Amino acid sequence: MTSTPTRTGQDPRVRVLEAAARQSLHAPSVFNTQPWRWRITADALELRGDPDRQLTHTDPDGRLLMLSCGAALHHARVSLAAFGWAAVVERLPDPSDPSLLARIRTTGPIDLDVPAGRLVDAIPRRRTDRRAYGDRPVPEAVLARLGDAVEAEGAHLHVVRPDQMPMLAVSTGRAAEAELADPAYREELNRWTNRPAGSGDGVPAATAVRPSPRRVPLRDYAPGGAAGLSAGTDFDRGAAYLILFGEDDEPAAWLRGGEALSALLLTATAEGLASAPLSDAVELAWPRRMMRDLLAGIGSPYLIVRVGWGPEAELPPAPRRAPGDVIEVVLTPAYTTSMPAACG
């Protein structure tokens, strides 16, 4: 299991809340923007969205920002459970403060949650693997467990059928072409793929994958050929494509969708699968409608996730922001301490 909280202090609740917030820094986010902030009080952990990190052109409605923040929320929740602490979560608790997305209150120690511990163990190992996956199919039993993990978080999962793959591929490819033809999108992509040194965010060329023939096209994070990774010799023939969806298309549902995304990705990692979220087909209205058609109109699509058996070579870690830039501890003078500069 991952290490338990080690910060010294008078109140163990503060230490465990900070440890949970630190674990959340590994959560996936659109363009690796990490658009969240945490505030720790004596008995609560408050999650806020960071509007300065919203992709104002690619994500004008904030759908992907909320999904990203939901993933961070789930990382923190399962960390608390794995550390042996019960918690109550209030989502969007203050209508007068829309930036406050969730408040987690600890309610006391509990027995260690073994399933949560399995997910927490997967947190540092999870990577967004944009390389091609092999021919071996994902077993039905594993797909069922992924679906159960998503359902437990209040969302749903649709496994794209073989007869639906052409629509998914065409929608994704045309969405990518439309975005690349848009100067505002290219400017936003350039901003988040050419980050200042030490920013701890974005998608650097070293983690981008060179374009190659795929069953479903993947976003080119390094137009012009500067990507540092090869897709490999496979073609995703055994990959499963999953549509994460919910019954509503509004901020509260997107937040829960992000929690379900985290549960899906961590469960996939624990099962030994590689995974990669794909958002191209939900960033524009017309391909999003086509994804809804794949769901037979029964829900609102939040994201597509590709899972499968990836290459054995380890991926470089994505950049991560320093805790001191994201986590604020607000306590009485007896408890107030400064944040360290880097993750422990």
Side-chain angles (χ1 to χ4, degrees), residues 20-35:
R22 283 169 170 262
Q23 290 282 23
S24 79
L25 303 186
H26 294 282
S29 57
V30 58
F31 284 21
N32 195 27
T33 51
Q34 302 166 56

Side-chain angles (χ1 to χ4, degrees), residues 50-170:
D50 188 340
D52 292 337
R53 291 179 167 270
Q54 182 175 348
L55 303 177
T56 55
H57 185 77
T58 307
D59 183 33
D61 297 329
R63 178 183 284 100
L64 298 176
L65 181 147
M66 292 293 283
L67 287 168
S68 301
C69 290
L73 175 59
H74 181 265
H75 272 46
R77 283 177 42 220
V78 297
S79 296
L80 287 172
F83 295 151
W85 282 78
V88 174
V89 181
E90 303 169 82
R91 296 171 180 84
L92 302 177
D94 187 352
S96 67
D97 184 1
S99 71
L100 180 58
L101 305 184
R103 182 183 292 117
I104 307 175
R105 294 191 183 278
T106 55
T107 58
I110 57 172
D111 292 337
L112 293 179
D113 187 321
V114 174
R118 183 169 179 256
L119 298 185
V120 170
D121 284 344
I123 286 177
R125 295 188 285 110
R126 187 207 61 81
R127 300 278 191 275
T128 295
D129 194 340
R130 303 181 183 93
R131 299 172 297 179
Y133 303 162
D135 295 349
R136 178 185 170 195
V138 180
E140 292 293 332
V142 174
L143 291 175
R145 288 195 287 274
L146 298 181
D148 290 344
V150 166
E151 293 283 342
E153 297 299 327
H156 310 289
L157 203 62
H158 171 71
V159 181
V160 178
R161 302 189 309 267
D163 64 291
Q164 296 177 320
M165 287 299 301
M167 182 182 287
L168 175 62
V170 169

